Amino acid sequence: MHQTDEAVGATHTAALPGGPSGASRARVPRRRLLVVGLGVAVGWGCTYAAAELARSGWLGAPAFGAWRTVCLAITVQALPFLLLGTALSGAINAFVPASVFSRALPGRPALAVPVASAAGVVLPGCECASVPVANSLIRRGVTPAAAFAFLLSAPAINPVVLTATAVAFPGSPAMVAARLLASLVTAAVMGWLWLWLGREEWLRPAARHTGHHPGHSRWNEFRRGFQRDFLHAGGYLVLGAAAAATFNVTVPRSVLDTFSGSPWLSVLFLAGLAIVLAVCSEADAFVAASLTGFSPTARLAFLVVGPMVDLKLIALQTGTFGRAFALRFSTATVVVAVVCSVLIGGALL
């Protein structure tokens, strides 16, 4: 059968970025609403289950109170930065021309990676803010390797985080320098690894048009983009916070003391602890400073790994880029971050 010219034109119009079909317009919001609903349902479900366990005697009331406090603390701590990140993402998509990024970054991807790593210093936020911003950069034509380098470096080397590290470790500028250097090197290495081994099929394609539509209101595009990104990421944030709170409650303090005596086990343990605690990068230095039984190198690994890989960040990456990307990228980042922490920590601390 042959389509008429009108039918063909309508089909092509529906396929254009600015004019998706009605089914596509309905499907994308429903998917995001499903993610939000799932996150809220899991959060309330975990709260209800913990309350029932507390009443039955399996989980004491103090433990339930601690779980609820940690879960809410992680969510509330990360929420302002998630708002910042999604607002920046929406602003980049609606107001910033794509040519800005082509002029700001070197044309060669291998050179764009370290430049993007150093540019992380301009975002005063945590990892929750960096994920939507990195996604927006990719949608605007920035090479994924540079966007991922920015994603990793921004939460770890911005002025707020470095100042907090200096306050948490008074009289120890070497810890601040080691954190800055190890984070920069890790971000750059991961960007280069993506150039070498990364595959486009690991990235879930963006579900919406990138950039400004001529003739459309930029403020309306900003509002819609901000709303989509925030609702999408918010559900995954709740999931990550609930998982981190569960670990905090169920793992006894004595486990920490078991690993502190071994130099290598202490590094690996604190790297794993940073992943499951999911402490915001603006506050993790104070947690690391309190772990006085561990070596400086082990605490450096905690500071480098935490802003780059934790439970809520893995959940956010899964929701934004897809599970295939999140599993591979997070695993490789942990290995590179630990190696950089050991080498740089051994030299400076």
Side-chain angles (χ1 to χ4, degrees):
M1 296 178 65
H2 296 284
Q3 290 180 305
T4 65
D5 291 340
E6 290 80 7
V8 174
T11 302
H12 284 291
T13 301
L16 287 174
S21 66
S24 297
R25 285 197 301 267
R27 182 167 58 252
V28 172
R30 285 188 192 129
R31 188 178 303 159
R32 289 191 173 92
L33 289 175
L34 179 62
V35 171
V36 176
L38 177 62
V40 173
V42 169
W44 281 107
C46 290
T47 303
Y48 176 79
E52 288 297 317
L53 289 173
R55 283 194 289 269
S56 66
W58 285 94
L59 181 63
F64 168 65
W67 183 93
R68 182 175 56 189
T69 299
V70 172
C71 185
L72 289 176
I74 292 175
T75 303
V76 172
Q77 187 182 49
L79 193 59
F81 299 104
L82 182 60
L83 282 168
L84 172 64
T86 50
L88 286 173
S89 173
I92 290 171
N93 186 69
F95 298 110
V96 180
S99 59
V100 170
F101 304 109
S102 61
R103 292 196 302 265
L105 292 175
R108 295 180 59 184
L111 296 179
V113 166
V115 173
S117 300
V121 74
V122 303
L123 180 64
C126 72
E127 57 272 21
C128 299
S130 63
V131 173
V133 172
N135 187 36
S136 182
L137 292 175
I138 293 174
R139 295 198 305 259
R140 301 310 307 278
V142 174
T143 177
F148 296 148
F150 176 84
L151 182 152
L152 294 178
S153 67
I157 68 169
N158 68 72
V160 176
V161 170
L162 295 180
T163 301
T165 306
V167 172
F169 292 89
S172 181
M175 180 62 78
V176 180
R179 180 175 195 177
L180 172 63
L181 184 57
S183 299
L184 279 174
V185 172
T186 300
V189 169
M190 285 304 302
W192 287 323
L193 279 178
W194 178 264
L195 286 177
W196 180 31
L197 301 174
R199 299 179 182 177
E200 290 295 330
E201 57 264 30
W202 293 345
L203 288 175
R204 185 169 60 195
R208 64 186 178 94
H209 168 71
T210 65
H212 171 62
H213 288 296
H216 289 208
S217 169
R218 292 182 183 271
W219 284 106
N220 284 337
E221 290 182 348
F222 166 74
R223 177 181 55 81
R224 287 195 296 266
F226 169 77
Q227 182 180 15
R228 291 190 190 101
D229 286 345
F230 180 74
L231 290 178
H232 189 102
Y236 287 97
L237 173 61
V238 174
L239 291 174
T246 301
F247 176 87
N248 274 271
V249 172
T250 56
V251 176
R253 176 71 182 181
S254 58
V255 175
L256 299 178
D257 301 330
T258 303
F259 290 91
S260 60
S262 170
W264 287 103
L265 287 180
S266 64
V267 169
L268 296 177
F269 181 77
L270 284 195
L273 187 66
I275 296 172
V276 295
L277 286 184
V279 181
C280 190
S281 59
E282 276 76 15
D284 61 357
F286 299 97
V287 177
S290 68
L291 301 172
T292 55
F294 291 87
S295 67
T297 300
R299 286 187 280 178
L300 175 63
F302 181 90
L303 294 175
V304 175
V305 172
M308 298 184 178
V309 185
D310 62 33
L311 290 179
K312 67 177 184 295
L313 182 56
I314 293 173
L316 288 170
Q317 288 181 358
T318 301
T320 304
F321 300 114
R323 183 173 59 182
F325 167 83
L327 292 178
R328 292 175 173 88
F329 192 76
S330 298
T331 302
T333 301
V334 171
V335 174
V336 173
V338 168
V339 171
C340 290
S341 298
V342 170
L343 294 178
I344 294 175
L348 298 181
L349 302 178

